[in-house]
Amino acid sequence: MDKGLNKQLGLLDIFCIASGAMISSGLFVLPGIASAKVGPALFLSYILASFIAVCIVFVLVGTKDERNFHLRALAAIAQICQQPDFDKNWLNARNTEELRDIVLLAERRRFEAKG
């Protein structure tokens, strides 16, 4: 009796394989092709696209009275990252608690909420 492989792939399995192939080709193949044609400007386009995506997420998630929350959050992150020894402290952190302390205990200017 021949014990061959059973055909057990369903529609969801095929969809996952196909969408994984499309997404991975978009993430790994296309940037290489684009950087060969465009050059260093591709890096700036990725930064701009990620900034726009972050802003869109904050606007969609936030309520009408908290629409500018994303600007305050981005300003706080920028203040933390611009500290003189931030990169050294970040790389020398031994565990997640130290990373959390670097971010949460950082000295930064607080923005007052209007209203």
Side-chain angles (χ1 to χ4, degrees):
M1 184 169 180
D2 186 18
K3 292 189 176 187
L5 296 176
N6 294 331
K7 295 180 182 179
Q8 294 187 0
L9 288 179
L11 182 62
L12 180 63
D13 300 321
I14 300 297
F15 173 76
C16 290
I17 291 171
S19 60
M22 287 187 291
I23 290 171
S24 64
S25 68
L27 289 176
F28 300 116
V29 175
L30 292 178
I33 295 170
S35 67
K37 293 186 179 197
V38 178
L42 183 68
F43 179 70
L44 295 175
S45 68
Y46 272 100
I47 290 176
L48 180 64
S50 62
F51 179 74
I52 291 171
V54 167
C55 289
I56 288 172
V57 167
F58 276 110
V59 167
L60 291 176
V61 172
T63 61
K64 285 188 177 184
D65 56 338
E66 294 179 351
R67 295 287 177 170
N68 63 352
F69 175 74
H70 68 284
L71 295 176
R72 292 195 310 261
L74 290 174
I77 292 169
Q79 285 180 8
I80 293 169
C81 293
Q82 289 178 351
Q83 290 181 353
D85 293 332
F86 173 77
D87 54 346
K88 291 178 188 174
N89 293 336
W90 185 267
L91 293 174
N92 292 332
R94 292 184 300 262
N95 53 31
T96 56
E97 285 80 22
E98 288 185 9
L99 291 175
R100 188 179 307 128
D101 289 343
I102 291 170
V103 173
L104 295 179
L105 301 177
E107 191 174 319
R108 62 184 183 273
R109 195 177 91 224
R110 307 290 180 171
F111 294 100
E112 295 294 326
K114 294 182 180 180

